[in-house]
Amino acid sequence: MKINRIAKLAVAVAAAVSAFAGIAAEETFPVEGKMLVGVNYWGSQAGVRMWREDEWDEASIEKDVSALAATGVELMRVFPTWSEFQPLMQEKKYQGAPALLLRDGGKGEIYDPLWLDPGAVARFEKFCEIAERHNVKLMVSLVTGWMSGTLFAPRIVENRNLITDPEAVMWEGRFARAFVRRMKGKKSIVAWCLGNECNCMGAAESRAQAWMWLNTISSAIRMEDPSRPVVSGMHSQTSDGFGPQRGDYNKWTLQMQGELLDFLTPHPYPAAFRIEASRGPFNCFRNALHPVSQCLFYSAVSGKPSFPQEIGSLGPRLSPDWMSAKGMRQQMFTCWAHGLGAYLWWCAFMQTHLDYPPYSECHVEPELGLLHADENRTPKPGANELKAFRDFRDSLPFDVLPKYKTDAVCLVSEREEFYHQTFGAFMLSKAAGFDIEFIGADSRELPDSNFYILPSGKGWGTYSRKTWDQLVDRVKNGATLLVSRGFETGYIDWPEITGLEQTTYHKWRKESFEFEGRKMSFSDSYTAEQKPIDCEVVAKDSSGNVVVSLKRLGKGKVIVVNFALEKCIIEQESEVVDNGFSNELWRIYAYAAREAGVKRLVTKDDPRLVITEHPRKDGTTLVVAVNTHDKPVAFPVKVGGIVGRVWNGNFKDGVLSIRENDGCIFEVAKEN
């Protein structure tokens, strides 16, 4: 009898595991090439207080989710506020010694270390059922102790550093375990997120402390649910993982995120302090590519996929609603074309009617919703664009957009912060009409390619000797290398490899030069005097100093740009990828691509037309084209094949017509 009971129990356990695995497999997140669109959600009527017993309004939340689903939302990032779900306090005894655990407010003693508030748990379970009824998937940000500038931590960890204090980290780990244990059977949940920008909850004094926190929370999640992906939820991560620790900014590195997590999540807002994204309106070329470039940067260094988990225009203080909608439209197309798994707007509902923290504290949080919080949940223009994109994607005769073709490998330094150079290289290549694969210079294996790009760093140690020697070897075997040189960057065998004699010194310079018959200019904080000793001079400045050169080395070529080109267009020059595009430095990238033998199926003249090519197994190619102009444009293009079906645009007699800030997709077959 006992053996039979054990056998039956084993069968039941196996069935449960099989059923749970079926849930996870059914709700796979995300699918590359089928970008989910959605929002970050707080209840329209209560915001951060939505989980409280006296604020919970199931009927209102049902209306919220129904309205969001009607606008095309298929994924919501949601936030079980830590202080509401684990409201613990410590009873104090003689001389302040800790004793029993109490429920906040003294409502009873707690003996279970994985205790969660039963009422809050029941309310979240109801919420999951509402989401499932409306076919909306959930990404749950677990340790939501930070939201919009305010801390929401239980009293048991008051006055503790929530990142480094062992007591605080213990309770955070217990909270994550307890919550996942209770909710892992909910079909609507497709991913677990560590929390919301948890590196804002406290300061890490070292990378080791940051790693310990990340490992504790991610391990707690996986202990209870190994079937769903664990998502970062962090912002402002640095590539400077192998350089010295300087200050607080480079404690949380992309390398450790990639080691411990499944997906990384930049939050690419056009904030005034982000110079790379605040030099034009929200619907400009730069902001069409900003979220994509940050995701590619994160992935290049971490080795893990990334998607924009929070994105927005920061409201009417920076962008009127009509501009936010147009910027959102072109961003959804560029993110989809580049294989990102999700696009989540911040946030679902307007919160201007809420008069408590964090909404009462800041002029930039309450007005960012896609829908109004009125009785009808009236959509704003951005909500209509999200619906239009979802409908367009679902109307296509294919489920998944194939991976886009890349033509060059661009190295990302892991010895200094390198996002500006990465974004600069991305915009230059897009303007020039080809695509780049980004790769971490130290932690990732160098892929085979006929074309490599090495953006300028700021010091002698930007890249290792090993990396440089690998590139030189690839050049000698036939590859083309485009290397920009600015600041104090130096290489030990520079004259031999580039054919240039170089003298460097500190001196700010702003120079103009002619390239392919066009006048261009650049700025740099460091001067390099370069003289040709064994190379071809392609361009020189007004003083005769070499600006662009080409050296044939073995079977390949080395093209040198004598200033920090990629960083220059982010921090100095404003007419390269902004405004009138009159300073056509992107033509240097186009020249290098031609020298490398890059061949594209579709070529164009307008730098603001963003194109990706997606080869299919049947020999045809899908081409995604995005018009980043703020007006409709008829673009002359050359297509190396027969154009078939066209979606969301028009192609006729070699002219591709797309409305302002919108995307088009067309099919190209090879000519017989």
Side-chain angles (χ1 to χ4, degrees):
M1 288 291 293
K2 186 175 181 181
I3 294 175
N4 287 338
R5 286 198 301 270
I6 293 173
K8 289 179 181 179
L9 179 61
V11 169
V13 170
V17 170
S18 176
F20 185 73
I23 290 173
E26 180 185 345
E27 303 292 353
T28 299
F29 169 81
V31 176
E32 183 179 356
K34 189 173 182 178
M35 184 182 76
L36 301 179
V37 292
V39 293
N40 290 263
Y41 173 77
W42 284 109
S44 66
Q45 305 307 307
V48 296
R49 295 183 177 180
M50 65 177 287
W51 308 113
R52 294 185 179 184
E53 185 176 5
D54 57 345
E55 296 278 2
W56 172 256
D57 186 337
E58 187 174 337
S60 172
I61 290 170
E62 181 95 41
K63 289 189 71 172
D64 285 354
V65 179
S66 175
L68 289 167
T71 61
V73 167
E74 54 193 332
L75 175 65
M76 295 195 306
R77 180 179 175 223
V78 295
F79 308 91
T81 319
W82 184 19
S83 56
E84 301 294 338
F85 281 79
Q86 197 183 44
L88 290 172
M89 57 184 292
Q90 187 83 66
E91 183 187 29
K92 298 296 178 66
K93 292 292 189 179
Y94 176 69
Q95 294 184 344
L100 291 172
L101 296 176
L102 302 176
R103 183 173 183 164
D104 196 355
K107 296 180 182 178
E109 299 168 352
I110 305 298
Y111 295 95
D112 179 5
L114 298 186
W115 180 84
L116 297 176
D117 181 85
V121 168
R123 291 187 281 276
F124 197 90
E125 288 174 332
K126 284 282 188 184
F127 177 76
C128 290
E129 292 165 9
I130 292 171
E132 188 175 342
R133 275 199 297 275
H134 294 279
N135 199 29
V136 174
K137 300 175 174 62
L138 302 178
M139 178 193 308
V140 182
S141 287
L142 289 164
V143 187
T144 301
W146 167 266
M147 181 56 58
S148 303
T150 301
L151 276 174
F152 293 90
R155 287 180 62 189
I156 197 167
V157 293
E158 274 184 329
N159 303 318
R160 295 180 183 272
N161 186 322
L162 301 181
I163 298 299
T164 62
D165 183 90
E167 191 87 10
V169 176
M170 176 185 71
W171 283 111
E172 289 163 282
R174 283 173 167 172
F175 173 71
R177 273 193 71 188
F179 196 95
V180 173
R181 178 180 292 183
R182 289 295 300 267
M183 300 297 171
K184 64 185 178 183
K186 298 298 180 183
K187 292 180 66 174
S188 55
I189 297 174
V190 294
W192 303 111
C193 180
L194 298 182
N196 179 57
E197 299 180 350
C198 292
N199 46 329
C200 295
M201 296 195 306
E205 296 176 5
S206 68
R207 290 175 186 163
Q209 288 181 339
W211 187 94
M212 290 295 291
W213 189 91
L214 287 170
N215 186 61
T216 297
I217 308 305
S218 61
S219 297
I221 296 168
R222 289 195 174 97
M223 184 182 297
E224 298 295 337
D225 181 9
S227 69
R228 290 182 177 91
V230 180
V231 177
S232 165
M234 301 285 197
H235 73 137
S236 298
Q237 308 298 286
T238 176
S239 62
D240 193 6
F242 301 135
Q245 295 184 49
R246 294 184 296 272
D248 183 61
Y249 87 96
N250 66 344
K251 302 298 191 303
W252 302 86
T253 69
L254 292 166
Q255 290 86 351
M256 70 172 68
Q257 295 267 313
E259 175 191 349
L260 297 170
L261 305 170
D262 298 311
F263 290 91
L264 274 66
T265 54
H267 297 172
Y269 294 105
F273 59 84
R274 301 300 299 262
I275 188 173
E276 71 275 7
S278 61
R279 297 180 66 171
F282 187 63
N283 64 329
C284 70
F285 174 87
R286 185 183 289 258
N287 280 320
L289 299 176
H290 179 219
V292 178
S293 68
Q294 261 204 319
C295 289
L296 296 181
F297 169 64
Y298 273 38
S299 294
V301 178
S302 70
K304 296 294 178 64
S306 304
F307 60 88
Q309 184 188 47
E310 286 184 24
I311 199 164
S313 64
L314 295 182
R317 62 187 287 272
L318 292 180
S319 304
D321 286 345
W322 63 265
M323 180 181 288
S324 293
K326 290 184 176 183
M328 180 185 192
R329 183 165 69 209
Q330 65 179 8
Q331 282 186 346
M332 286 189 289
F333 269 96
T334 57
C335 289
W336 176 60
H338 290 87
L340 306 189
Y343 179 95
L344 300 181
W345 190 261
W346 187 278
C347 58
F349 288 96
M350 295 288 284
Q351 299 161 330
T352 50
H353 58 293
L354 304 176
D355 60 358
Y356 41 79
Y359 314 112
S360 60
E361 301 296 312
C362 184
H363 286 282
V364 74
E365 285 291 342
E367 78 287 19
L368 305 183
L370 272 186
L371 284 76
H372 292 282
D374 58 7
E375 180 66 21
N376 295 323
R377 275 54 171 183
T378 306
K380 294 168 69 177
N384 297 330
E385 292 299 338
L386 188 145
K387 176 74 162 61
F389 178 85
R390 168 82 184 276
D391 289 345
F392 166 77
R393 189 204 68 193
D394 290 348
S395 73
L396 294 169
F398 50 87
D399 290 330
V400 175
L401 184 67
K403 185 176 177 60
Y404 68 102
K405 170 182 173 286
T406 57
D407 310 284
V409 172
C410 182
L411 276 73
V412 177
S413 172
E414 299 181 67
R415 295 162 180 252
E416 60 187 66
E417 177 51 30
F418 220 67
Y419 176 53
H420 283 186
Q421 290 92 325
T422 305
F423 190 17
F426 187 61
M427 288 192 289
L428 288 165
S429 66
K430 283 298 185 184
F434 66 92
D435 273 300
I436 288 176
E437 175 186 359
F438 293 96
I439 199 79
D442 286 300
S443 60
R444 313 262 79 83
E445 185 177 347
L446 185 65
D448 289 331
S449 179
N450 293 322
F451 186 17
Y452 295 96
I453 298 172
L454 196 67
S456 174
K458 61 184 179 182
W460 296 343
T462 300
Y463 302 101
S464 68
R465 282 283 307 278
K466 178 184 176 182
T467 296
W468 174 253
D469 289 345
Q470 273 188 305
L471 284 172
V472 169
D473 186 62
R474 299 289 174 91
V475 170
K476 290 178 179 178
N477 283 286
T480 295
L481 171 64
L482 171 63
V483 54
S484 60
R485 197 231 63 82
F487 305 98
E488 298 179 52
T489 306
Y491 303 96
I492 195 168
D493 48 2
W494 185 258
E496 174 190 343
I497 302 305
T498 66
L500 290 162
E501 180 183 86
Q502 177 172 287
T503 302
T504 62
Y505 49 90
H506 278 285
K507 182 182 179 182
W508 176 264
R509 59 175 174 154
K510 184 173 179 65
E511 282 286 355
S512 61
F513 64 100
E514 279 198 6
F515 185 83
E516 297 183 338
R518 293 170 171 85
K519 189 173 181 178
M520 304 180 189
S521 62
F522 66 89
S523 307
D524 208 337
S525 59
Y526 210 78
T527 293
E529 293 182 0
Q530 297 200 351
K531 297 179 181 179
I533 53 176
D534 182 23
C535 66
E536 173 189 340
V537 176
V538 181
K540 55 186 177 182
D541 64 25
S542 56
S543 69
N545 193 16
V546 176
V547 178
V548 182
S549 63
L550 182 148
K551 157 108 174 147
R552 299 184 186 279
L553 184 67
K555 298 178 183 178
K557 305 170 187 175
V558 178
I559 298 169
V560 174
V561 180
N562 186 16
F563 63 96
L565 170 59
E566 295 81 9
K567 197 167 186 178
C568 175
I569 72 165
I570 298 292
E571 300 178 1
Q572 304 295 338
E573 298 299 316
S574 61
E575 300 291 332
V576 182
V577 290
D578 302 290
N579 304 319
F581 282 61
S582 57
N583 189 6
E584 298 177 277
L585 291 173
W586 58 268
R587 291 189 180 275
I588 298 175
Y589 263 51
Y591 160 77
R594 290 196 302 273
E595 289 293 332
V598 169
K599 302 292 183 185
R600 297 284 287 188
L601 186 64
V602 179
T603 57
K604 44 93 175 189
D605 296 321
D606 192 318
R608 281 170 280 197
L609 177 62
V610 173
I611 293 176
T612 50
E613 298 178 359
H614 306 258
R616 296 199 284 189
K617 292 180 180 179
D618 65 1
T620 63
T621 298
L622 294 172
V623 179
V624 180
V626 181
N627 173 16
T628 66
H629 288 269
D630 60 358
K631 60 184 179 183
V633 177
F635 298 97
V637 295
K638 294 179 182 178
V639 182
I642 301 169
V643 175
R645 291 172 293 180
V646 181
W647 297 272
N648 208 45
N650 184 62
F651 181 85
K652 185 177 181 181
D653 298 330
V655 175
L656 181 64
S657 299
I658 313 174
R659 72 168 173 160
E660 72 278 6
N661 303 122
D662 203 357
C664 166
I665 185 166
F666 58 96
E667 189 177 48
V668 180
K670 294 178 181 178
E671 294 182 280
N672 293 328

